[in-house]
DNA sequence: ACTTATCGTTATGCCCCATAACAAACGGGA
DNA sequence: TCCCGTTTGTTATGGGGCATAACGATAAGT
């Protein structure tokens, strides 16, 4: 493709309106920005509660899967077990979860929400729902479903 | 007391198939996974070249916008000027870009690709195109366009 | 009993993002 | 001219998320 070479056509000193075309049609670029917007929206609602998206994910999965083991939980959250360890240590420190040895397998940990954890989870869920609403506010239900399907296909490829 | 018996009905010892429903319909969750997949695909192709998505973005924008100033470039890339500084210092160290004072404004920097930078950019563009192809391989052109539009609306909300 | 595999932990490093504090240079007004 | 506020870029620091390697402890297979 012929490239319009600008040899000396720098008449204007500095372009005040940069050419954005190189990034404008890149999936990777817009995925980054959209994910960033998502994180920001979540952070606004979750931050005051002392939560992050990662921490909320743990609480959500723990409520639906009591006594789950760490390896399985890490797999479900798509994070590494080594990173989950740190996350869980902080959550336990904050009194939101409890770690006990699994019966008959002293090396495995049994994870469970505490009452405080369940209470905070309810607030977190509300904040998360609000963030989700903000994100999808410009999309029709059909568009949102299509977006979700496309994201899933990309993530699972 | 003797035994912390499990009060609730824990008939099944440990669920081998966790309940994934809490995260399954969350935009934020799938945005994270899709963005991660995108980053991984880019990283595979760009890593051997000594590039990252962020570095490639700079090179792409610099080719389309020679002599752009840092503040404008940072705005176009949606990154903070302070982070751009570090990125540019490394790129200059690697001989991929050149920073010169803007004529008539000694505090502003003029950014420009070097020959080496332009050469590496061509390789990076090829790797990026391949990554983009992998990501969109499960999507029809119409689906890809719809995805892009939805991401833009989320990012700009 | 010895070896191998599982489960979790620790340590380290990278990428991306954000804020605050700062120096240097410009520009306008008293 | 001098002062002051603004622009431009830099430095330092911290946080979230991701990945790998090395390790101790336990369990399971032979």
């Amino acid at each position: 493709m012929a490239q319009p070479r600008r040899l000396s056509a720098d008449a204007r000193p500095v372009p005040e309106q940069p050419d954005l075309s190189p990034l404008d049609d890149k999936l990777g670029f817009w995925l980054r920005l959209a994910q960033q917007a998502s994180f920001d929206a979540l952070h606004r609602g979750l931050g005051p509660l002392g939560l992050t998206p990662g921490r909320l994910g743990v609480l959500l999965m723990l409520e639906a899967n009591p006594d789950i083991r760490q390896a399985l939980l890490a797999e479900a959250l798509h994070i590494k077990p080594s990173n989950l360890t740190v996350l869980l240590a902080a959550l336990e420190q904050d009194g939101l979860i409890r770690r006990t040895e699994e019966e008959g397998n002293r090396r495995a940990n049994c994870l469970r929400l505490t009452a405080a954890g369940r209470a905070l989870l309810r607030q977190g869920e509300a904040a998360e729902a609000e963030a989700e609403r903000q994100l999808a506010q410009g999309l029709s239900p059909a568009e949102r479903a299509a977006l979700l399907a496309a994201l899933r296909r990309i993530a699972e490829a």
Side-chain angles (χ1 to χ4, degrees), chain A:
Chain A
M1 294 312 200
Q3 182 103 251
R5 268 212 197 266
R6 27 169 50 269
L7 295 175
S8 60
D10 290 347
R12 102 225 119 158
V14 163
E16 285 307 320
Q17 278 194 325
D19 177 8
L20 304 174
S21 61
L23 299 177
D24 208 38
D25 66 336
K26 305 261 186 289
L27 267 183
F29 178 69
W30 290 105
L31 275 171
R32 176 173 76 85
L33 292 194
Q35 204 268 339
Q36 191 62 29
S38 157
F39 187 87
D40 286 351
L42 286 170
H43 189 70
R44 273 194 299 275
L46 260 33
L49 302 176
L51 291 178
T52 64
R55 284 165 73 99
L56 178 63
V58 171
L59 299 184
L60 281 167
M61 289 300 296
L62 248 45
E63 171 156 82
N65 300 276
D67 291 336
I68 195 176
R69 286 187 319 197
Q70 291 189 199
L72 233 61
L73 177 58
E75 188 183 3
L77 292 169
H78 288 84
I79 70 179
K80 299 292 169 193
S82 58
N83 294 321
L84 180 58
T85 294
V86 184
L87 213 48
L88 292 176
L91 289 172
E92 191 175 30
Q93 189 88 14
D94 293 356
L96 302 175
I97 67 168
R98 211 170 32 121
R99 272 191 288 192
T100 58
E101 284 177 357
E102 188 175 301
E103 299 183 30
N105 190 349
R106 259 173 33 214
R107 78 195 149 173
N109 280 346
C110 250
L111 304 176
R112 211 170 244 273
L113 284 181
T114 63
R118 207 168 275 105
L120 188 60
L121 170 56
R122 273 182 222 112
Q123 297 183 260
E125 277 179 312
E128 195 276 339
E130 169 61 16
E132 198 87 2
R133 200 191 58 74
Q134 289 178 15
L135 290 180
Q137 77 181 10
L139 305 174
S140 72
E143 285 171 330
R144 184 188 185 278
L147 169 60
L148 219 50
L151 292 176
R152 269 194 265 257
R153 248 176 296 176
I154 286 182
E156 288 162 355

